[in-house]
Amino acid sequence: MADTTAKKDGGIWETVKTVFWALIIAGVFRTLFFQPFWIPSGSMKDTLLIGDFLFVNKMAYGYSRHSCPFSVCPIPGRILASEPERGDVVVFRHPTRGVDFIKRVIGLPGDTVQMQNGQLILNGQPVPQQPDGVFTEPKLPQGPGQIPPRCFNEPVAAGGACEKPRFTETLPNGTSHEVLNIVDGWPLDDTPVYTVPAGTYFFMGDNRDNSEDSRVPAIAGGLGFVPAEYLIGRADRIMFSSAGKSLLYFWTWRGDRFFKAVH
């Protein structure tokens, strides 16, 4: 009986140790290489939808004080492995609010950025946009906040087809992505010329009329230019997606978005 009890105790202890080390390894892996991120808003539609769950590649650009796995990085500032490129979808820490945002890199250090009548002007040249159909979604509450989407074809009854014209935008480096339009003449459709300072980046959301981004200066309560040290990592792939209030509502998962690459 004593031997049986000892074996049981030993088996339980081995299980506890296995679980403990598994959690340690998972924590180290998460801290060093990847960070989970859940899309809480519609600012990046239709590239990213509310309820998309992805892992952020923290090694894409090297460590910053916001992606560093330690409380103090070995070297102050940012240790760049490579520079972000125009078109990258990046998670970063908001410079003034202390929360994580996800947007697309539009302007690099030294670039000039402007919006004119809803068209992006980069370094004085219009960025080409080609019509690409219509993005349609039901006019229903979305995510934990249960906020219904805004529609170009308002008024739309609850449950009706909420439509937004879609365009394919091609940046100077040849990368293309889709952008949406909700309303013509939106205040951020026309902006001053912004010159991106050294060591910072200009971000915009793909859902242009529903995105708080670098078009609103930090001094006015917006995002403004984002210093390199605030970058956390690049979003490369959606792992899975939920159309419901919670990721745990597996019956609301969107099967067509599993392991979908982020472009």
Side-chain angles (χ1 to χ4, degrees), residues 9-19:
D9 290 344
I12 293 172
W13 177 239
E14 287 301 319
T15 300
V16 170
K17 286 197 296 184
T18 300
V19 171

Side-chain angles (χ1 to χ4, degrees), residues 15-237:
T15 300
V16 170
K17 286 197 296 184
T18 300
V19 171
F20 171 79
W21 285 113
L23 291 174
I24 290 294
I25 292 169
V28 169
F29 186 79
R30 174 203 182 279
T31 302
L32 289 175
F33 303 113
F34 295 97
Q35 176 174 315
F37 190 83
W38 181 53
I39 304 300
S41 76
S43 69
M44 283 294 293
K45 290 178 181 177
D46 65 344
T47 303
L48 298 172
L49 304 181
I50 295 175
D52 282 350
F53 181 86
L54 48 86
F55 282 101
V56 180
N57 181 359
K58 297 176 71 173
M59 298 298 291
Y61 310 124
Y63 287 132
S64 73
R65 68 187 181 94
H66 291 285
S67 66
C68 184
F70 312 105
S71 58
V72 178
C73 281
I75 301 174
R78 181 159 199 93
I79 309 168
L80 281 175
S82 64
E83 292 280 353
E85 297 181 3
R86 292 191 190 93
D88 285 0
V89 177
V90 176
V91 172
F92 54 89
R93 182 61 55 91
H94 193 291
T96 60
R97 297 185 188 173
V99 295
D100 292 347
F101 269 38
I102 185 167
K103 305 288 182 187
R104 189 179 297 277
V105 177
I106 296 296
L108 302 178
D111 284 344
T112 61
V113 183
Q114 185 182 21
M115 293 293 291
Q116 290 183 356
N117 195 30
Q119 183 171 31
L120 174 62
I121 311 295
L122 190 58
N123 294 322
Q125 299 297 318
V127 174
Q129 283 187 352
Q130 295 295 327
D132 189 18
V134 175
F135 172 67
T136 304
E137 59 184 338
K139 183 71 177 288
L140 293 171
Q142 299 178 350
Q146 292 292 277
I147 300 173
R150 295 169 58 208
C151 316
F152 184 86
N153 60 327
E154 294 284 13
V156 178
C162 177
E163 299 178 349
K164 302 174 186 63
R166 179 170 53 204
F167 302 85
T168 297
E169 187 172 81
T170 303
L171 296 170
N173 62 351
T175 62
S176 297
H177 56 273
E178 296 172 345
V179 297
L180 303 180
N181 180 42
I182 298 176
V183 59
D184 292 330
W186 187 248
L188 294 180
D189 282 349
D190 291 278
T191 71
V193 176
Y194 298 106
T195 300
V196 185
T200 70
Y201 298 90
F202 192 101
F203 286 93
M204 292 178 65
D206 293 347
N207 193 4
R208 293 281 165 82
D209 297 335
N210 196 51
S211 175
E212 180 188 329
D213 49 41
S214 293
R215 291 173 292 176
V216 180
I219 195 172
L223 176 61
F225 305 116
V226 178
E229 64 186 277
Y230 285 86
L231 306 188
I232 293 173
R234 186 181 63 217
D236 291 332
R237 191 170 296 274

